[in-house]
Amino acid sequence: MQSGSGPNVVEGYLTAAGFRFGIVASRFNDFIVKSLLDGALDAIERHGGDLGGVDVVWVPGSYEIPLVARRLALSGRYDAVVCLGAVIRGATAHFDYVAGGAASGISSAALEADLPVIFGVITTENIEQAIERAGTKSGNKGFEAAANAIEMASLMQRLDESAPREATRGASQVP
Ligand code: INI
């Protein structure tokens, strides 16, 4: 980091070149999730990424996303993992369990693997809201999730450059 009179600011770039991404997509409500996936792949390409460096893994439902996201995140093969799903309250009595399990599991996977694992699971009251978030009037949350993955992958790389992990870990062991 540079020294000077102002703060040292570290941010990720929105450049996907050279990064590899794992995408975990849920088949439940797949007519929505396929649009999220299209948006995510579009974001990676439009930010200079190579789709040859992208693996897409399908799971049955959003509740199953964390286990596979964790496996991908720990594999060492990716710079970030993007999780895509659609949990719609109107269609399920156990919305809170499915949405909450997906959210907390994805968060745990990121912390355990020390890798960006992005929450691109949309949680909505009804199908109309889900459609709005999958490429119609509220944009495409899959595109946004992949853009966040690119920024976070870049940020982690830049943090490594400015404060290598070994040095950071060593420093944290100093009493
Ligand atoms: N999974 C979803 O991804 N979205 C939903 O809206 C949903 N509903 O409605 O129940 C859903 N359920 C399945 C769940 O994710 C698991 O696959 C299932 O409970 C088996 O573990």
Side-chain angles (χ1 to χ4, degrees):
M1 297 189 197
Q2 292 172 351
S3 59
S5 55
N8 298 309
V9 177
V10 185
E11 288 179 300
Y13 298 125
L14 281 172
T15 307
F19 288 143
R20 296 157 305 164
F21 299 97
I23 298 179
V24 188
S26 159
R27 277 210 177 80
F28 206 104
N29 295 319
D30 72 345
F31 69 106
I32 297 289
V33 179
K34 282 176 181 166
S35 295
L36 298 178
L37 177 59
D38 287 346
L41 297 174
D42 187 36
I44 292 168
E45 272 199 306
R46 286 169 62 179
H47 290 90
D50 175 8
L51 295 188
V54 178
D55 293 331
V56 179
V57 182
W58 287 93
V59 295
S62 294
Y63 197 78
E64 283 71 44
I65 289 175
L67 178 64
V68 174
R70 176 182 173 280
R71 172 81 70 97
L72 298 188
L74 288 169
S75 72
R77 291 203 300 267
Y78 307 104
D79 297 289
V81 173
V82 181
C83 302
L84 303 175
V87 191
I88 302 173
R89 188 186 290 275
T92 176
H94 59 295
F95 172 96
D96 293 318
Y97 297 108
V98 173
S104 65
I106 288 168
S107 163
S108 298
L111 297 176
E112 188 183 338
D114 195 22
L115 195 88
V117 182
I118 303 299
F119 186 69
V121 178
I122 57 174
T123 55
T124 65
E125 293 298 319
N126 52 49
I127 287 171
E128 289 71 27
Q129 288 177 354
I131 292 169
E132 284 172 16
R133 289 161 175 71
T136 58
K137 68 181 182 187
S138 298
N140 186 314
K141 299 299 172 192
F143 186 102
E144 289 177 23
N148 289 341
I150 294 163
E151 179 176 346
M152 285 299 296
S154 168
L155 176 60
M156 296 297 273
Q157 190 178 66
R158 298 199 70 208
L159 287 171
D160 265 354
E161 286 161 8
S162 59
R165 287 175 210 219
E166 287 314 312
T168 308
R169 290 205 177 100
S172 68
Q173 285 161 12
V174 174

